[in-house]
Amino acid sequence: MEQRFVMKCGGSTLAALPDSFFAELRDLQQSGVRPVIVHGGGPAISETLAKLGIETEFVNGLRKTSDAVLDVVEMVLAGRINKEIVRRIQQSGARALGLSGVDGKLIGARPVANSAEIGFVGDVTDVNAAIVEGIMAMGYIPVIAPIGIDDAGQRYNINADTAAGAVASHLGVERMIVVTDVPGILKTVDGEQRVLPSVTVADIEAMIENGEIYGGMIPKVRAAIQCIQGRVREVVIVKGGDPGVLRRAVLEGGVGTRIVQTEV
């Protein structure tokens, strides 16, 4: 079976990545590796809502999503950011095809448990892996925006990490790569910050508890943990701007921080 990997990246992180990152993606694809990208876009959504004068608030880290907010979420994620990523990949000489979870009912969804409070935010019920397989078989990199849909045709805003984990799990991929703007989870050892090579989910909770993981790093690691579901066994957090990072993460290991469910 050919090697494949699912990569999750925030929209703002991806936009800031150097051309060398996309050249690496192209080289991996040309060497027979099959990448799948699931992206987010929170900051761009917030920026567009502000421009349009639409109020938005967060409940436990998830965006409260009314009909008006949902229109903007779909417009920004499936429109602007999705196509921006596709363009960047194609400029590097690789081939990409962008779609959202609505296309071909790629991502089936249902309302989250607290939907009365939070609106049209969804949990993934199903992923139509055959669509992703077909796109890869044609030689394209699938670029997926995390909008879901139910049988009645209602759209849902889906957390990008949850969507990425679900896509990976339905493709049978056990290791996911989360591209961020940090080189991994950092720990201060003897007064200097070092990247932890490997941690368990329990380690992370303990480090958040005792303040070793703090501030903006907390949502990043919590997001990475959300990718560990179904068949996904581990997530590797890497910094997209580091040269050669993608190749190392996919083929060699020894880069970034591996988050594993439990120690084997």
Side-chain angles (χ1 to χ4, degrees):
M1 186 171 148
E2 89 269 331
Q3 191 181 356
R4 41 175 65 173
F5 72 95
V6 174
M7 178 180 111
K8 185 266 160 176
C9 195
S12 50
T13 305
L14 257 172
L17 288 176
D19 291 342
S20 58
F21 179 88
F22 293 94
E24 226 182 304
L25 195 59
R26 174 201 65 215
D27 293 346
L28 279 170
Q29 190 194 26
Q30 288 174 351
S31 70
V33 176
R34 301 260 185 248
V36 177
I37 296 172
V38 180
H39 65 85
I45 293 168
S46 296
E47 183 192 315
T48 308
L49 286 166
K51 276 184 191 160
L52 296 171
I54 299 169
E55 295 252 332
T56 181
E57 56 180 296
F58 286 86
V59 179
N60 297 329
L62 293 173
R63 186 186 302 277
K64 202 166 173 179
T65 307
S66 63
D67 246 338
V69 170
L70 192 54
D71 277 344
V72 175
V73 166
E74 187 170 49
M75 177 175 86
V76 173
L77 286 181
R80 186 181 128 199
I81 290 179
N82 189 272
K83 300 314 161 205
E84 187 179 351
I85 297 167
V86 169
R87 282 199 308 274
R88 290 285 309 268
I89 293 171
Q90 289 175 168
Q91 276 173 333
S92 77
R95 302 201 296 172
L97 204 150
L99 64 168
S100 84
V102 170
D103 297 301
K105 293 190 178 172
L106 173 61
I107 299 175
R110 61 161 179 249
V112 290
N114 63 333
S115 61
E117 182 187 9
I118 200 170
F120 298 111
V121 175
D123 280 328
V124 179
T125 54
D126 189 38
V127 174
N128 187 339
I131 294 177
V132 182
E133 303 274 3
I135 291 169
M136 289 194 289
M138 291 193 309
Y140 289 85
I141 297 173
V143 179
I144 302 167
I147 314 278
I149 193 161
D150 66 16
D151 288 338
Q154 172 62 51
R155 300 165 298 171
Y156 294 92
N157 180 9
I158 297 187
N159 176 292
D161 309 288
T162 310
V167 167
S169 181
H170 281 82
L171 285 171
V173 172
E174 294 189 345
R175 190 172 100 234
M176 268 192 61
I177 293 165
V178 175
V179 177
T180 64
D181 53 4
V182 290
I185 296 175
L186 301 165
K187 185 172 184 171
T188 306
V189 183
D190 301 333
E192 64 175 275
Q193 289 205 317
R194 294 188 190 159
V195 174
L196 290 174
S198 178
V199 290
T200 65
V201 172
D203 292 337
I204 285 173
E205 291 303 341
M207 287 171 74
I208 290 173
E209 195 72 22
N210 70 21
E212 284 182 283
I213 294 176
Y214 59 89
M217 197 61 210
I218 295 176
K220 283 176 191 161
V221 295
R222 285 217 195 278
I225 292 171
Q226 281 194 307
C227 296
I228 302 177
Q229 52 176 289
R231 294 185 193 171
V232 179
R233 287 271 145 288
E234 62 178 67
V235 171
V236 185
I237 295 187
V238 297
K239 183 175 181 175
D242 289 349
V245 72
L246 205 50
R247 182 175 186 81
R248 287 176 64 196
V250 175
L251 302 178
E252 297 158 23
V255 65
T257 301
R258 273 176 69 229
I259 301 177
V260 293
Q261 213 156 7
T262 47
E263 287 297 359
V264 180

